[in-house]
Amino acid sequence: MNFIVFLMFFCFSLFAQSNDLSHRPKSFDVTNGKAVFVDFQTADYVITYNASTSSANVVATIKFNAPEAGLPIFDSVAAPSSVKLDGETVNSLEVKTPSKETTLRVINKLISVGEHTAIISVPLTTLIEFRDGGVKSAFWTSDLSERNFLERYMPANLEFDQVKMTFDIMFEGFTSKQKIYTNGVVQELRKGSKSSYKISYPSHFNASSIFFHTVPEGLTSELRFSLKSIDGREIPSVVYFGKSILGGFTSLETLKNKASDVFHELEGDYGSWPHEQLIIYNAGQGGMEYCGATMTSLSALGHELFHSYFARGVMPANGNSGWLDEALASWRDDGYQTLSALSGSSKMSNHPYYTRTTDMAAYSFGERFMGYLDGKLKSKGGLKPFMRHMVDNRKFSPLFVEEFIQEMNQFYGVSLDKDFKKYTYGTENFSNLKSNHGSTVHKKLSLKELQKLL
Ligand SMILES: [Zn+2]
């Protein structure tokens, strides 16, 4: 790494760290003490798939900074098989937040302020299938249900925390070579029946950023190409589908052309592609976005690629800011309609403090709210210049809805506080209203349904 690159990396790390601390949720009391949110510095995961036992497990080494004393919080849906804190064997407890809006885990050990290391082992049993001399495994996420980001598969922090993550992947005893689709830098360390890979992810990633999918070679069809960014980069791109699933009904060429159209449209509106690559898994359903990657259908592709700018570019720090990118994406999907008036209200910004999921009203009422803001700001150029401003200035630093509002007020030189208050901090629940749009682009899939898409 040359000095300038080192300096840039160092500055970004400091910035990311202060953003993590300023977005860290408040501590809360549990039976054994005070549960405190900590700032993960690095998370290195050793992920082992074992052919002879048809099992897999993850050992996470997490270095973290505790800004206050208490019981450190992390999350993992699977109960850990072992937890070590600073070399000592300890245990962890599942706890609910004060208003019971979410469930988390705490390490059952009071710690002091400062740097600590946790080594947490968990079995990996979700979205995994041993077959054809290899293994199918994916870490697909969703923000529509509780605890469906990285914590669904391995120990992780909440969305506010940006962490430098690495995966050491071991495939033990398989006869088939594995294919890996992921939005990190992949290094093959060892070939053969004990093959291993190291994957490094950018330091701005959080628990909702990683796209990871591995399958035995030969089960997917793919097309690799590059897209020329307006900043001069050739963005390495791939579209693929599983040969045995519905996604195969759309040709790779069609997917590539659509991806290319959307890519250039988005670069025209919001500047150069924010990521190092583009990965498109055409599963035929169940759209979800990642940093420069998506699992999608052809019809949701535009929506999901937009999310590489808003959601995985300009990132939400919690559940109450999650609606912003869905409202904006839906607004784009319907051709950026301008509205002169709006009736109704929602509580999209007003869910209990520790909420981690996105309000489904984003796709319907949220979209209309963006159209309304666009109308209101028409004389100042409408909403799109502000969106561009956000990508230029707030990319890769998770934010609260309140910061989004503040940025908008500053950008236009008028206060929009009353509009956000009236339409997004209400008490009405729009999430029970059927939104065809939301359920089409991000169809809520059960694990059983996802398993079929592996
Ligand atoms: Zn979306």
Short mmCIF file of all heavy atoms in Angstrom, two decimals, residues 289 303-304 307 326 329 363 441-442, ligand 1:
data_model
loop_
_atom_site.label_atom_id
_atom_site.label_comp_id
_atom_site.label_asym_id
_atom_site.label_seq_id
_atom_site.Cartn_x
_atom_site.Cartn_y
_atom_site.Cartn_z
N GLU A 289 -30.95 -6.34 -1.88
CA GLU A 289 -29.79 -5.57 -2.31
C GLU A 289 -28.59 -5.75 -1.38
O GLU A 289 -28.77 -5.96 -0.18
CB GLU A 289 -30.14 -4.08 -2.38
CG GLU A 289 -30.39 -3.40 -1.03
CD GLU A 289 -31.82 -3.54 -0.51
OE1 GLU A 289 -32.61 -4.28 -1.12
OE2 GLU A 289 -32.14 -2.90 0.50
N HIS A 303 -34.84 -1.63 -9.51
CA HIS A 303 -35.05 -1.27 -8.11
C HIS A 303 -33.83 -1.69 -7.26
O HIS A 303 -33.32 -0.90 -6.47
CB HIS A 303 -36.32 -1.97 -7.62
CG HIS A 303 -36.65 -1.74 -6.19
ND1 HIS A 303 -37.61 -0.84 -5.78
CD2 HIS A 303 -36.13 -2.27 -5.07
CE1 HIS A 303 -37.66 -0.85 -4.46
NE2 HIS A 303 -36.78 -1.71 -4.00
N GLU A 304 -33.38 -2.90 -7.46
CA GLU A 304 -32.28 -3.42 -6.64
C GLU A 304 -30.96 -2.71 -6.95
O GLU A 304 -30.16 -2.47 -6.04
CB GLU A 304 -32.12 -4.93 -6.82
CG GLU A 304 -33.36 -5.77 -6.51
CD GLU A 304 -33.94 -5.54 -5.13
OE1 GLU A 304 -33.23 -5.01 -4.26
OE2 GLU A 304 -35.12 -5.85 -4.93
N HIS A 307 -30.62 0.52 -5.26
CA HIS A 307 -30.23 0.37 -3.85
C HIS A 307 -28.70 0.38 -3.66
O HIS A 307 -28.22 0.53 -2.54
CB HIS A 307 -30.78 -0.93 -3.28
CG HIS A 307 -32.20 -0.82 -2.81
ND1 HIS A 307 -32.66 0.23 -2.06
CD2 HIS A 307 -33.25 -1.67 -2.97
CE1 HIS A 307 -33.95 0.03 -1.78
NE2 HIS A 307 -34.33 -1.11 -2.32
N GLU A 326 -36.23 2.74 0.51
CA GLU A 326 -37.32 2.02 -0.18
C GLU A 326 -38.30 3.02 -0.82
O GLU A 326 -38.82 2.79 -1.91
CB GLU A 326 -38.07 1.10 0.79
CG GLU A 326 -37.25 -0.07 1.30
CD GLU A 326 -36.70 -0.96 0.20
OE1 GLU A 326 -37.05 -0.81 -0.98
OE2 GLU A 326 -35.86 -1.82 0.53
N ALA A 329 -36.45 4.36 -3.89
CA ALA A 329 -36.37 3.34 -4.94
C ALA A 329 -37.73 3.16 -5.62
O ALA A 329 -37.83 3.06 -6.85
CB ALA A 329 -35.90 2.01 -4.36
N TYR A 363 -42.98 1.58 0.61
CA TYR A 363 -43.20 1.29 -0.81
C TYR A 363 -44.43 1.99 -1.39
O TYR A 363 -44.55 2.13 -2.59
CB TYR A 363 -43.37 -0.22 -1.03
CG TYR A 363 -42.22 -1.03 -0.54
CD1 TYR A 363 -42.28 -1.65 0.71
CD2 TYR A 363 -41.08 -1.18 -1.30
CE1 TYR A 363 -41.22 -2.40 1.18
CE2 TYR A 363 -40.02 -1.94 -0.84
CZ TYR A 363 -40.09 -2.55 0.40
OH TYR A 363 -39.06 -3.29 0.86
N VAL A 441 -41.05 -6.39 -5.41
CA VAL A 441 -39.60 -6.20 -5.49
C VAL A 441 -38.86 -6.90 -4.35
O VAL A 441 -37.74 -7.35 -4.53
CB VAL A 441 -39.19 -4.71 -5.55
CG1 VAL A 441 -39.62 -4.12 -6.87
CG2 VAL A 441 -39.75 -3.92 -4.40
N HIS A 442 -39.47 -6.92 -3.17
CA HIS A 442 -38.80 -7.61 -2.06
C HIS A 442 -39.75 -8.64 -1.47
O HIS A 442 -40.21 -8.50 -0.35
CB HIS A 442 -38.40 -6.64 -0.95
CG HIS A 442 -37.40 -5.62 -1.37
ND1 HIS A 442 -36.12 -5.93 -1.70
CD2 HIS A 442 -37.50 -4.28 -1.50
CE1 HIS A 442 -35.46 -4.83 -2.02
NE2 HIS A 442 -36.27 -3.82 -1.92
ZN ZN B 1 -36.13 -2.02 -2.17
#
